[in-house]
Amino acid sequence: MQTRENFGGRLAVILAMAGSAIGLGNIWRFPYLVGQNGGAAFILVYIAACALLAMPIFMAEAVIGRRSGSNTFGAMKKLAPGTRWKWLGLVTVVAPLLLLSYYSVVGGWAVDYFMKACSFRFIGDTSGLFGGFISSTWEPLVTHTVFMALTAGIILLGVTKGIEKFTKITMPMLFILIVGIVIYGLTLPGSWKGVEYMVKPDFSKINAQVVATAMGQAFFSLSLGVGTILTYASYMRKEENIVSAGNCTAAFDLLFALLAGFAVMPAVFAAGIQPEEGPGLVFDTLPYIFSQMGWAGTVVSVLFFFSILIAALTSSISLLEVGVAYLVEEKGWSRRRSTLVLAFGTWALGVLCSLSFGPLSGVKLLGVGIFDFLDKLCTNWLMPFGGLLFTLFVGWKMSKADVRDELTGGGTCNRRLFPLLYFLMRYLAPVGIVVVFLTNLFL
Ligand code: TRP
């Protein structure tokens, strides 16, 4: 009995963390970044960024979360009472809301594609489908609104747990579907060029910006830097092994990202699409694959976009919930009012993001469109900055004995590994993030 219960606990934690991590970041963002940043070389830098920068942050957040047993604010108040560390909480409220504003726009694209799949639109010639959709004014706005309404609705109705139950079905289904799409994609003429693109690194493509982008993607994909992992870890039991939970989450997350890459890139080359295309890449290539599959394409695409939608919603509700919890617990607002105000605010910002692909495409902030600007601000700056503060807190503010106690499960595991982990959290990750920041600013 005892061992079963234990196993259940472990599995639940890893599933919750993997559920937050796996989302549009893997399926939508990763493949287009691979395309924009030079293929295989980017993937290698990304894996290095996960191992050397993201994993230490993951462990730092988990250590703070479990030690304090509370959310970001509560944690700072408890572990560093009377200090300014509580301001870290502000990063962790603002960043997820900014992120949600454009996440919801992409979620809207998934809504649109789900409806297209249901109405047999991925049959025959699919070229220009996404281009026509994205540059129109109203369609993307309507679907963005639907996605945000779903997010807010789930939180208002308090059915978050109900939605998360879906993921137990949709995640494995997504996995099987993607594997199927990868295999099918490889049968298309010309697709092996895409495989080559994914595995043959051209190191001349790596520069400061590529490294910064890889780091940002590692943070985005693993839900780091805004206290999400911290909060989840606060529900972990003492005996749970933080290091192996982190490794499992990262492994699943990477697996989904790579699979998405291998689903998209071969089709990019088979269909003659530009790998550098940007945020629309997945939405341009998948319909091509589905259209090649004949009637099966309709079935696969309906299931596929449904799974993506659920994966995106489990991420978006966690993004909105951070702000709602803050307003309810710290400002005494009602849940209803907090949800409505924040959802409306992020929706409005999302409208600008959505329009930046069409009517507002001329508006540039620091040289890029509104959507790209917010994306860069969150992933390349705010989230690594939050992560930096978390590692500094664990490496320099908390006592080494406490950190050791957390990472070694009270001395029962990872005892040999601890010095390395501590070094990563105390020196390598913070210095690494600062170096990436500086080179990105000045090079
Ligand atoms: N990781 C999610 C994805 O890949 C997005 C996400 C959910 C997130 N919660 C987060 C990102 C918290 C940063 C912080 O789609």
Side-chain angles (χ1 to χ4, degrees):
M1 265 334 251
Q2 189 99 44
T3 44
R4 259 199 84 179
E5 211 179 274
N6 242 329
F7 181 61
R10 248 205 90 175
L11 199 65
V13 169
I14 291 174
L15 281 181
M17 288 183 174
S20 161
I22 297 167
L24 295 172
N26 309 62
I27 311 291
W28 156 73
R29 204 167 185 274
F30 182 75
Y32 94 74
L33 289 182
V34 170
Q36 274 185 335
N37 293 280
F42 175 82
I43 298 179
L44 293 179
V45 178
Y46 172 71
I47 294 175
C50 283
L52 299 176
L53 301 178
M55 283 314 288
I57 311 288
F58 189 105
M59 285 183 279
E61 281 200 32
V63 163
I64 302 172
R66 189 166 67 183
R67 196 76 195 165
S68 63
S70 54
N71 63 44
T72 317
F73 291 96
M76 292 300 150
K77 279 192 208 149
K78 214 181 253 177
L79 298 179
T83 66
R84 291 196 201 139
W85 280 99
K86 60 174 179 285
W87 296 114
L88 183 50
L90 270 190
V91 181
T92 70
V93 168
V94 174
L97 291 173
L98 293 180
L99 198 139
L100 178 59
S101 71
Y102 69 89
Y103 202 86
S104 168
V105 172
V106 183
W109 301 348
V111 170
D112 182 76
Y113 270 52
F114 175 63
M115 295 187 312
K116 282 194 167 79
C118 291
S119 50
F120 309 104
R121 286 286 293 283
F122 300 135
I123 291 174
D125 186 11
T126 55
S127 59
L129 203 62
F130 188 71
F133 164 70
I134 193 71
S135 55
S136 67
T137 306
W138 295 108
E139 273 179 79
L141 282 187
V142 171
T143 54
H144 159 55
T145 309
V146 170
F147 188 85
M148 189 63 90
L150 284 172
T151 304
I154 292 166
I155 292 204
L156 270 183
L157 296 174
V159 291
T160 312
K161 286 281 163 296
I163 291 298
E164 277 162 5
K165 286 213 177 83
F166 265 112
T167 56
K168 292 213 178 82
I169 308 161
T170 52
M171 276 292 170
M173 184 162 90
L174 189 61
F175 179 77
I176 294 168
L177 289 171
I178 301 188
V179 171
I181 294 173
V182 171
I183 295 172
Y184 184 81
L186 294 180
T187 67
L188 298 172
S191 61
W192 282 92
K193 276 217 187 89
V195 177
E196 209 171 276
Y197 187 79
M198 290 285 292
V199 299
K200 246 198 185 159
D202 171 2
F203 290 108
S204 67
K205 297 250 169 75
I206 298 176
N207 56 34
Q209 224 208 320
V210 168
V211 176
T213 306
M215 176 178 82
Q217 171 63 9
F219 278 84
F220 185 101
S221 198
L222 285 166
S223 305
L224 295 175
V226 301
T228 303
I229 296 301
L230 189 159
T231 310
Y232 280 169
S234 69
Y235 302 119
M236 272 169 102
R237 281 180 299 173
K238 265 270 151 318
E239 333 62 91
E240 234 80 82
N241 187 338
I242 285 178
V243 181
S244 75
N247 287 339
C248 283
T249 308
F252 275 123
D253 190 64
L254 184 62
L255 179 69
F256 269 88
L258 289 176
L259 279 175
F262 277 104
V264 168
M265 276 310 157
V268 163
F269 285 84
I273 294 166
Q274 291 299 319
E276 301 84 16
E277 180 196 298
L281 193 67
V282 186
F283 294 92
D284 257 331
T285 38
L286 288 180
Y288 173 76
I289 308 187
F290 296 141
S291 70
Q292 300 295 310
M293 286 180 181
W295 62 267
T298 299
V299 181
V300 173
S301 58
V302 169
L303 296 176
F304 182 83
F305 284 110
F306 181 73
S307 318
I308 295 288
L309 212 51
I310 300 295
L313 279 170
T314 54
S315 296
S316 64
I317 50 183
S318 76
L319 291 169
L320 185 57
E321 178 65 33
V322 185
V324 171
Y326 169 74
L327 288 179
V328 171
E329 283 160 22
E330 305 287 320
K331 301 281 165 210
W333 286 28
S334 77
R335 241 188 119 65
R336 199 183 150 76
R337 180 170 166 216
S338 314
T339 309
L340 290 177
V341 168
L342 291 182
F344 181 76
T346 42
W347 172 82
L349 193 57
V351 167
L352 297 179
C353 294
S354 180
L355 292 177
S356 73
F357 290 98
L360 294 185
S361 60
V363 180
K364 301 282 183 221
L365 298 162
L366 299 180
V368 293
I370 303 170
F371 183 100
D372 284 339
F373 175 78
L374 271 179
D375 183 45
K376 286 218 160 65
L377 176 68
C378 289
T379 57
N380 290 7
W381 298 99
L382 291 180
M383 293 185 338
F385 180 69
L388 174 66
L389 293 181
F390 285 129
T391 46
L392 290 178
F393 187 81
V394 171
W396 300 90
K397 175 85 189 154
M398 282 175 76
S399 81
K400 187 171 177 179
D402 284 355
V403 180
R404 182 188 291 119
D405 186 47
E406 286 299 326
L407 284 180
T408 61
T412 55
C413 54
N414 313 321
R415 292 227 304 271
R416 290 250 195 85
L417 206 56
F418 177 73
L420 173 68
L421 299 176
Y422 198 60
F423 171 79
L424 288 179
M425 294 200 297
R426 196 168 149 95
Y427 299 102
L428 192 95
V431 171
I433 294 174
V434 170
V435 168
V436 178
F437 273 162
L438 292 179
T439 46
N440 201 25
L441 261 188
F442 297 112
L443 286 183

